Amino acid sequence: MSGVRRASVSRFFPILSGIALVLCLFSGSSAAASVPKATLVSHFVPSGVRANLTSTADCWVTSLAAPRKDAWRCAVESIIYDPCFSSANYPNAVICDANPARYTRGLKATLAGKLPVTTAAEASAQPWVLQLPNNVYCTFATGATWIVNNERVDYGCTDNTVIAGLPKQGTIWTANVVPQGQMTRTVVTTVVHAWY
């Protein structure tokens, strides 16, 4: 009986080895496919309006999240939107609550007054939204955060992780992700797409 069992195992060993090899090749190719050849960098512009707000927008400073010349920090009643975008298409309004992670069309709000003078520089090293592998999106945090390894926590992500510091730029950008429940440990992760 034991001889039969040994023969049976030896007969199926090549089949099991073949399955294991296929699984290894598949997982290897999936891992390789998930790493971008280069991080895509885009300038985000709202694609239109999904609704009109009934209250006016009071915009008092350049956006803290997206420091660019057409982006603002605005209050509509008790809600602060950052950024709201101005456009020649809407000379007396701003488009708020639009971003690549959720809605590409925004909420249109009529301006309560003139826009302030922008303080945005020509180019900013601070991207506003980052896309990480597995469709995780991270948005720049404009409020008070904390420090991890001597770097401010700059982004909050849709999987409840955070990013310490700004991403490191290159052909492939990387970010220091702080896993949930950690206060000092970071994991280097590639950035698939970055929006300014």
Side-chain angles (χ1 to χ4, degrees):
M1 189 69 178
S2 61
V4 173
R5 187 176 294 116
R6 277 198 300 273
S8 171
V9 169
S10 63
R11 186 174 354 129
F12 287 109
F13 183 75
I15 295 171
L16 294 173
S17 298
I19 292 170
L21 178 61
V22 168
L23 288 173
C24 287
L25 289 173
F26 179 76
S27 63
S29 64
S30 297
S34 66
V35 177
K37 293 182 180 177
T39 297
L40 184 60
V41 179
S42 301
H43 181 83
F44 177 77
V45 177
S47 62
V49 175
R50 70 177 190 272
N52 292 307
L53 295 173
T54 57
S55 299
T56 57
D58 179 19
C59 305
W60 71 96
V61 69
T62 299
S63 168
L64 303 179
R68 41 189 264 196
K69 293 188 175 181
D70 63 344
W72 314 93
R73 187 171 176 85
C74 305
V76 180
E77 291 187 338
S78 60
I79 300 174
I80 294 177
Y81 293 100
D82 188 347
C84 291
F85 299 95
S86 57
S87 164
N89 295 332
Y90 308 103
N92 300 312
V94 285
I95 306 299
C96 305
D97 198 41
N99 73 54
R102 293 172 49 229
Y103 308 110
T104 58
R105 296 185 303 144
L107 304 173
K108 180 183 172 186
T110 301
L111 286 167
K114 289 185 177 181
L115 289 169
V117 176
T118 182
T119 57
E122 285 297 325
S124 171
Q126 174 190 305
W128 166 41
V129 178
L130 304 173
Q131 180 186 358
L132 306 183
N134 301 318
N135 267 345
V136 173
Y137 288 85
C138 307
T139 307
F140 190 84
T142 61
T145 64
W146 63 98
I147 302 296
V148 174
N149 295 338
N150 295 319
E151 291 193 286
R152 177 185 183 268
V153 168
D154 281 336
Y155 296 86
C157 304
T158 54
D159 64 348
N160 295 320
T161 60
V162 296
I163 293 176
L166 296 176
K168 309 301 183 283
Q169 299 184 19
T171 302
I172 299 176
W173 294 22
T174 59
N176 293 324
V177 175
V178 183
Q180 289 187 58
Q182 298 292 322
M183 292 301 292
T184 58
R185 187 172 71 89
T186 60
V187 176
V188 176
T189 304
T190 57
V191 177
V192 177
H193 198 158
W195 287 269
Y196 283 92

